[in-house]
């Protein structure tokens, strides 16, 4: 972290002010009771140039010294069987697994369970939130998206990208998913190494990477913002769609993502414990991000058109209708200014579906037991994931 500190360079720009004074940022402050200021800015900003060095070393020692398939197999062995001190394996691998197999003192299994239950209980609303608020809203931050652009994620297509995000999210948010060797734990380690692999590849092949302005590729501060998307922004979205949640579920959601962040190598002091902290941390991070650029618009439209390309629904009219519903939710969940910047098409009666959803959620809340909702939500989410995995496996979304 020897680089000079990045200033809060966009704090006076219209997009920053709109968001925090009249848009979703203002709602987040009211929702969380956050006290925003730049007092702690210098505590966080060095992380713009800070990366997961442990993960990077593993990639250099394992992935860059053998075939990709071989390296992946080797890492899979360690994930599933653990490692012991005497194993003849690279130091970096020992270091990675020593950290991820060490259970931090603050970990609370009851909170992890509550967090997982909220994610499952949200059912399809959870998936709408991830897609139309967290993912789409993230595209408004131009520098955050640079790694996606330079690694040509657009060419891979939104179906594949959505499928991967869903696979990770679903597997990290089930009961006991984050136990050592369990599925969510495995996803966290693999995702961590994919980030390192992408980062090192960008550094090696992309000479125009503007570290000064964009930060290091996939830096720790950007990672913090991404995981605030999975916690704070996700929670705010559920609330907007008319869902209620208990204090335990709310605490649990932050706890769950804090632990996922820990497994992913994000410094612990960057991971918020509650919505107040998350909003305050997010405020600081947004001040170094410009608003969307032409790449953001391309990413947003790729996500919108995913419904048309995805063969899960058989008929064109069904796909068009699904795209329309996602557009309605995007306008409902995101600021109008953000939607305009991302050039989200304006559609008729765009509030009808989300407002109806809110009403139905209220009724559902009072008539169906929590246990039944968790069970149904888990089943429905697994079904959506299964559909996505099937189409990405059987088609040319590579």
């Amino acid at each position: 972290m020897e680089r000079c500190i990045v200033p809060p360079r966009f704090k006076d720009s219209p997009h920053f002010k709109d968001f925090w004074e009249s848009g979703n940022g203002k709602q987040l402050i009211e929702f969380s009771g956050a006290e925003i200021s730049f007092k702690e800015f210098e505590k966080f900003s060095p992380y713009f140039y800070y990366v997961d060095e442990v993960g990077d070393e593993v990639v250099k020692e394992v992935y860059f010294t053998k075939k990709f398939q071989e390296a992946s197999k080797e890492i899979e062995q360690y994930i599933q069987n653990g490692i012991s001190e005497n194993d003849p394996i690279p130091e970096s691998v020992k270091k990675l697994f020593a950290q991820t197999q060490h259970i931090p003192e603050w970990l609370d299994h009851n909170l992890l369970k509550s967090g997982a239950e909220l994610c499952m209980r949200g059912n399809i609303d959870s998936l709408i939130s991830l897609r139309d608020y967290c993912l789409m809203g993230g595209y408004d931050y131009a520098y955050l998206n640079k790694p996606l652009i330079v690694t040509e994620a657009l060419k891979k297509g939104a179906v594949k990208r959505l499928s991967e995000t869903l696979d990770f999210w679903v597997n990290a948010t089930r009961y006991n998913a984050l136990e050592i060797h369990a599925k969510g734990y495995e996803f966290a380690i693999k995702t961590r190494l994919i980030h390192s692999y992408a980062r090192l590849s960008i550094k090696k092949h992309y000479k125009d990477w503007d570290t000064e302005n964009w930060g290091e590729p996939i830096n720790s501060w950007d990672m913090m913002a991404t995981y605030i998307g999975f916690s704070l922004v996700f929670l705010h979205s559920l609330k907007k769609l008319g869902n209620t949640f208990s204090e335990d579920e709310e605490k649990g959601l932050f706890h769950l993502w804090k632990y996922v962040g820990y497994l992913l190598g994000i410094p612990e002091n960057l991971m918020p414990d509650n919505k107040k902290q998350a909003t305050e941390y997010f405020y600081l991070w947004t001040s170094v991000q410009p608003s969307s650029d032409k790449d953001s618009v391309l990413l947003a439209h790729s996500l919108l058109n995913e419904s048309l390309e995805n063969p899960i629904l058989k008929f064109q009219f069904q796909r068009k209708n699904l795209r329309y519903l996602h557009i309605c939710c995007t306008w409902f969940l995101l600021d109008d200014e953000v939607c305009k910047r991302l050039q989200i098409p304006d559609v008729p009666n765009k509030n009808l579906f989300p407002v109806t959803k809110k009403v139905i959620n209220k009724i559902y809340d009072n008539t169906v037991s929590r246990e039944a909702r968790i069970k149904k939500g888990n089943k429905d989410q697994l079904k959506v994931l299964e559909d996505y995995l099937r189409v990405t496996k059987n088609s040319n979304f590579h």
Side-chain angles (χ1 to χ4, degrees):
M1 288 205 277
E2 60 284 347
R3 199 173 274 275
C4 65
I5 285 176
V6 58
R9 53 197 163 184
F10 295 104
K11 69 175 171 41
D12 296 320
S13 52
H15 74 272
F16 180 81
K17 287 186 156 167
D18 282 347
F19 182 78
W20 289 104
E21 287 170 15
S22 55
N24 271 346
K26 181 174 188 267
Q27 291 178 16
L28 286 171
I29 294 169
E30 288 161 2
F31 173 54
S32 69
E35 295 164 42
I36 50 162
S37 77
F38 287 101
K39 268 208 308 268
E40 300 221 284
F41 183 80
E42 293 191 1
K43 187 172 122 187
F44 290 92
S45 58
Y47 287 100
F48 202 45
Y49 303 113
Y50 184 88
V51 296
D52 168 26
E53 285 164 6
V54 176
D56 289 9
E57 281 310 309
V58 173
V59 169
K60 284 178 198 162
E61 285 195 78
V62 180
Y63 284 85
F64 287 177
T65 57
K66 49 193 77 169
K67 289 201 176 86
F68 190 84
Q69 290 310 102
E70 250 175 77
S72 299
K73 259 205 169 73
E74 187 180 318
I75 293 293
E76 208 142 287
Q77 286 293 87
Y78 303 141
I79 290 171
Q80 281 158 8
N81 307 318
I83 59 157
S84 65
E85 269 308 294
N86 312 322
D87 289 348
I89 54 175
E91 269 315 301
S92 60
V93 175
K94 281 187 182 169
K95 213 169 168 180
L96 174 78
F97 285 96
Q99 185 242 319
T100 57
Q101 289 177 11
H102 168 74
I103 307 292
E105 280 169 23
W106 48 261
L107 191 67
D108 178 332
H109 290 277
N110 290 330
L111 282 179
L112 284 184
K113 181 171 178 276
S114 298
E117 286 176 347
L118 175 60
C119 292
M120 292 187 277
R121 189 165 71 77
N123 200 330
I124 299 305
D125 283 2
S126 291
L127 307 185
I128 290 173
S129 299
L130 286 172
R131 178 185 179 132
D132 300 334
Y133 191 168
C134 310
L135 209 55
M136 190 64 92
Y139 292 153
D140 191 41
Y141 300 104
Y143 293 167
L144 179 67
N145 301 315
K146 290 301 170 205
L148 278 180
I149 297 300
V150 303
T151 54
E152 300 193 319
L154 265 171
K155 286 190 180 152
K156 210 163 66 165
V159 179
K160 184 98 172 88
R161 206 161 58 248
L162 213 53
S163 175
E164 288 166 355
T165 305
L166 194 60
D167 205 6
F168 167 69
W169 184 85
V170 168
N171 279 294
T173 57
R174 303 304 100 170
Y175 287 129
N176 305 321
L178 301 171
E179 299 280 332
I180 292 170
H181 314 314
K183 203 84 175 120
Y185 172 86
E186 181 181 334
F187 263 87
I189 307 283
K190 286 181 175 172
T191 303
R192 180 174 184 171
L193 295 174
I194 288 166
H195 287 155
S196 284
Y197 193 90
R199 174 167 44 248
L200 293 170
S201 304
I202 290 168
K203 301 282 278 184
K204 190 171 163 189
H205 301 296
Y206 194 79
K207 297 289 171 254
D208 295 335
W209 184 267
D210 181 359
T211 308
E212 205 56 55
N213 282 309
W214 302 348
E216 287 288 340
I218 317 176
N219 62 73
S220 298
W221 208 16
D222 284 358
M223 288 289 289
M224 175 205 84
T226 305
Y227 285 83
I228 284 176
F230 284 123
S231 54
L232 174 72
V233 175
F234 174 80
L235 194 68
H236 188 228
S237 183
L238 287 183
K239 180 178 182 281
K240 280 189 157 200
L241 291 167
N243 296 275
T244 55
F245 26 84
S246 69
E247 205 177 309
D248 264 1
E249 285 177 323
E250 187 182 302
K251 259 186 159 145
L253 183 72
F254 284 97
H255 200 72
L256 175 84
W257 289 108
K258 182 174 182 161
Y259 188 48
V260 175
Y262 168 83
L263 293 174
L264 274 156
I266 304 173
E268 282 178 54
N269 59 328
L270 290 186
M271 298 301 286
D273 289 314
N274 52 52
K275 62 185 177 196
K276 179 179 184 294
Q277 252 177 16
T279 306
E280 290 163 1
Y281 292 5
F282 189 52
Y283 177 76
L284 297 175
W285 176 83
T286 55
S287 73
V288 302
Q289 292 286 327
S291 64
S292 32
D293 58 11
K294 60 182 194 316
D295 290 332
S296 306
V297 175
L298 287 173
L299 285 164
H301 283 252
S302 165
L303 181 57
L304 282 184
N305 296 329
E306 184 269 345
S307 306
L308 302 177
E309 293 160 27
N310 195 330
I312 288 174
L313 293 174
K314 210 164 157 187
F315 300 108
Q316 200 53 31
F317 79 89
Q318 293 173 302
R319 295 181 190 183
K320 280 186 168 158
N321 186 46
L322 183 61
R323 180 177 184 267
Y324 166 77
L325 294 178
H326 279 302
I327 290 172
C328 294
C329 289
T330 301
W331 276 100
F332 182 74
L333 294 168
L334 293 179
D335 298 1
D336 285 5
E337 293 307 314
V338 174
C339 290
K340 285 174 196 158
R341 282 200 290 270
L342 294 173
Q343 295 171 27
I344 308 293
D346 205 347
V347 291
N349 306 319
K350 56 179 181 261
N351 272 342
L352 190 64
F353 173 65
V355 169
T356 309
K357 221 167 177 348
K358 278 182 82 159
V359 174
I360 291 168
N361 278 336
K362 279 242 167 351
I363 299 165
Y364 202 45
D365 224 14
N366 296 322
T367 52
V368 183
S369 79
R370 182 170 176 271
E371 278 61 40
R373 280 180 289 158
I374 292 167
K375 215 170 163 175
K376 184 175 178 350
N378 176 43
K379 195 171 143 216
D380 292 353
Q381 288 172 0
L382 289 172
K383 171 79 175 83
V384 173
L385 175 60
E386 197 185 303
D387 289 344
Y388 265 93
L389 293 179
R390 191 186 67 247
V391 302
T392 49
K393 195 176 159 197
N394 296 342
S395 56
N396 53 359
F397 297 112
H398 292 311

